[in-house]
Short mmCIF file of all heavy atoms in Angstrom, two decimals:
data_model
loop_
_atom_site.label_atom_id
_atom_site.label_comp_id
_atom_site.label_asym_id
_atom_site.label_seq_id
_atom_site.Cartn_x
_atom_site.Cartn_y
_atom_site.Cartn_z
N THR O 735 20.99 -46.07 -46.32
CA THR O 735 20.71 -45.41 -47.61
C THR O 735 20.14 -46.41 -48.61
O THR O 735 19.19 -46.11 -49.34
CB THR O 735 22.01 -44.79 -48.19
OG1 THR O 735 22.60 -43.96 -47.19
CG2 THR O 735 21.71 -43.96 -49.41
N ILE O 739 16.61 -46.37 -50.56
CA ILE O 739 16.47 -46.51 -52.02
C ILE O 739 15.45 -47.60 -52.35
O ILE O 739 14.58 -47.42 -53.20
CB ILE O 739 17.84 -46.83 -52.68
CG1 ILE O 739 18.78 -45.62 -52.58
CG2 ILE O 739 17.66 -47.24 -54.14
CD1 ILE O 739 20.20 -45.87 -53.05
N ALA O 750 17.92 -43.51 -62.45
CA ALA O 750 18.99 -43.26 -61.49
C ALA O 750 18.98 -41.79 -61.05
O ALA O 750 19.16 -41.48 -59.87
CB ALA O 750 20.33 -43.63 -62.10
N GLY O 751 18.75 -40.90 -62.01
CA GLY O 751 18.74 -39.47 -61.71
C GLY O 751 17.63 -39.10 -60.73
O GLY O 751 17.85 -38.35 -59.79
N ILE O 753 16.20 -41.07 -58.60
CA ILE O 753 16.52 -41.66 -57.29
C ILE O 753 17.51 -40.76 -56.56
O ILE O 753 17.31 -40.40 -55.40
CB ILE O 753 17.10 -43.09 -57.44
CG1 ILE O 753 16.03 -44.04 -58.01
CG2 ILE O 753 17.60 -43.62 -56.09
CD1 ILE O 753 16.56 -45.37 -58.50
N ALA O 754 18.58 -40.37 -57.29
CA ALA O 754 19.64 -39.55 -56.68
C ALA O 754 19.10 -38.21 -56.18
O ALA O 754 19.57 -37.67 -55.18
CB ALA O 754 20.77 -39.32 -57.69
N ALA O 755 18.08 -37.68 -56.88
CA ALA O 755 17.50 -36.39 -56.50
C ALA O 755 16.87 -36.42 -55.11
O ALA O 755 16.66 -35.39 -54.48
CB ALA O 755 16.47 -35.96 -57.54
N ASN O 756 16.58 -37.63 -54.62
CA ASN O 756 15.97 -37.77 -53.30
C ASN O 756 16.98 -37.79 -52.15
O ASN O 756 16.62 -37.88 -50.99
CB ASN O 756 15.14 -39.05 -53.23
CG ASN O 756 13.82 -38.89 -53.96
OD1 ASN O 756 12.86 -38.39 -53.39
ND2 ASN O 756 13.80 -39.29 -55.22
N PHE O 757 18.26 -37.78 -52.52
CA PHE O 757 19.29 -37.90 -51.49
C PHE O 757 20.29 -36.75 -51.55
O PHE O 757 20.56 -36.22 -52.63
CB PHE O 757 20.04 -39.24 -51.63
CG PHE O 757 19.17 -40.43 -51.43
CD1 PHE O 757 18.53 -41.04 -52.52
CD2 PHE O 757 18.94 -40.94 -50.16
CE1 PHE O 757 17.70 -42.13 -52.34
CE2 PHE O 757 18.10 -42.03 -49.97
CZ PHE O 757 17.49 -42.63 -51.06
N ASP O 758 20.81 -36.39 -50.39
CA ASP O 758 21.85 -35.35 -50.34
C ASP O 758 23.19 -35.93 -50.78
O ASP O 758 24.10 -35.19 -51.15
CB ASP O 758 21.99 -34.81 -48.90
CG ASP O 758 20.73 -34.08 -48.49
OD1 ASP O 758 20.05 -33.55 -49.39
OD2 ASP O 758 20.43 -34.03 -47.27
N THR O 759 23.27 -37.25 -50.71
CA THR O 759 24.50 -37.96 -51.06
C THR O 759 24.93 -37.65 -52.50
O THR O 759 24.08 -37.43 -53.36
CB THR O 759 24.28 -39.48 -50.94
OG1 THR O 759 23.37 -39.71 -49.86
CG2 THR O 759 25.56 -40.22 -50.69
N ALA O 760 26.26 -37.64 -52.73
CA ALA O 760 26.79 -37.38 -54.07
C ALA O 760 26.30 -38.44 -55.06
O ALA O 760 26.12 -39.59 -54.69
CB ALA O 760 28.31 -37.37 -54.03
N ARG O 761 26.10 -38.01 -56.28
CA ARG O 761 25.57 -38.90 -57.32
C ARG O 761 26.37 -40.21 -57.48
O ARG O 761 25.78 -41.29 -57.56
CB ARG O 761 25.51 -38.12 -58.64
CG ARG O 761 25.04 -38.90 -59.85
CD ARG O 761 23.56 -39.19 -59.79
NE ARG O 761 23.17 -40.08 -60.88
CZ ARG O 761 22.62 -39.66 -62.02
NH1 ARG O 761 22.40 -38.38 -62.20
NH2 ARG O 761 22.29 -40.52 -62.96
N PRO O 762 27.73 -40.14 -57.51
CA PRO O 762 28.49 -41.40 -57.65
C PRO O 762 28.23 -42.37 -56.49
O PRO O 762 28.23 -43.59 -56.69
CB PRO O 762 29.95 -40.93 -57.64
CG PRO O 762 29.89 -39.50 -58.04
CD PRO O 762 28.60 -38.97 -57.51
N THR O 763 28.00 -41.82 -55.29
CA THR O 763 27.72 -42.67 -54.12
C THR O 763 26.39 -43.39 -54.32
O THR O 763 26.28 -44.59 -54.08
CB THR O 763 27.66 -41.83 -52.83
OG1 THR O 763 28.79 -40.98 -52.81
CG2 THR O 763 27.65 -42.69 -51.59
N VAL O 764 25.39 -42.65 -54.81
CA VAL O 764 24.07 -43.26 -55.08
C VAL O 764 24.22 -44.33 -56.16
O VAL O 764 23.66 -45.41 -56.06
CB VAL O 764 23.04 -42.18 -55.50
CG1 VAL O 764 21.74 -42.82 -55.94
CG2 VAL O 764 22.78 -41.21 -54.34
N SER O 765 25.02 -44.02 -57.19
CA SER O 765 25.25 -44.99 -58.27
C SER O 765 25.86 -46.28 -57.72
O SER O 765 25.49 -47.38 -58.13
CB SER O 765 26.20 -44.40 -59.32
OG SER O 765 25.60 -43.28 -59.92
N LYS O 766 26.78 -46.12 -56.79
CA LYS O 766 27.43 -47.28 -56.18
C LYS O 766 26.40 -48.13 -55.42
O LYS O 766 26.38 -49.36 -55.53
CB LYS O 766 28.54 -46.79 -55.22
CG LYS O 766 29.36 -47.89 -54.58
CD LYS O 766 30.32 -48.54 -55.57
CE LYS O 766 30.91 -49.82 -54.99
NZ LYS O 766 31.55 -50.64 -56.03
N HIS O 767 25.53 -47.45 -54.67
CA HIS O 767 24.46 -48.15 -53.95
C HIS O 767 23.56 -48.90 -54.93
O HIS O 767 23.18 -50.05 -54.70
CB HIS O 767 23.62 -47.16 -53.14
CG HIS O 767 24.29 -46.66 -51.90
ND1 HIS O 767 24.95 -47.51 -51.03
CD2 HIS O 767 24.38 -45.42 -51.36
CE1 HIS O 767 25.43 -46.79 -50.03
NE2 HIS O 767 25.11 -45.51 -50.21
N LEU O 768 23.22 -48.24 -56.05
CA LEU O 768 22.35 -48.86 -57.06
C LEU O 768 23.02 -50.08 -57.67
O LEU O 768 22.37 -51.10 -57.92
CB LEU O 768 22.01 -47.84 -58.16
CG LEU O 768 21.03 -46.72 -57.76
CD1 LEU O 768 20.90 -45.71 -58.88
CD2 LEU O 768 19.67 -47.28 -57.37
#
Side-chain angles (χ1 to χ4, degrees):
Chain O
T735 308
I739 292 174
I753 294 167
N756 284 276
F757 297 92
D758 294 333
T759 326
R761 177 72 187 262
T763 312
V764 173
S765 297
K766 183 74 192 165
H767 285 315
L768 288 174

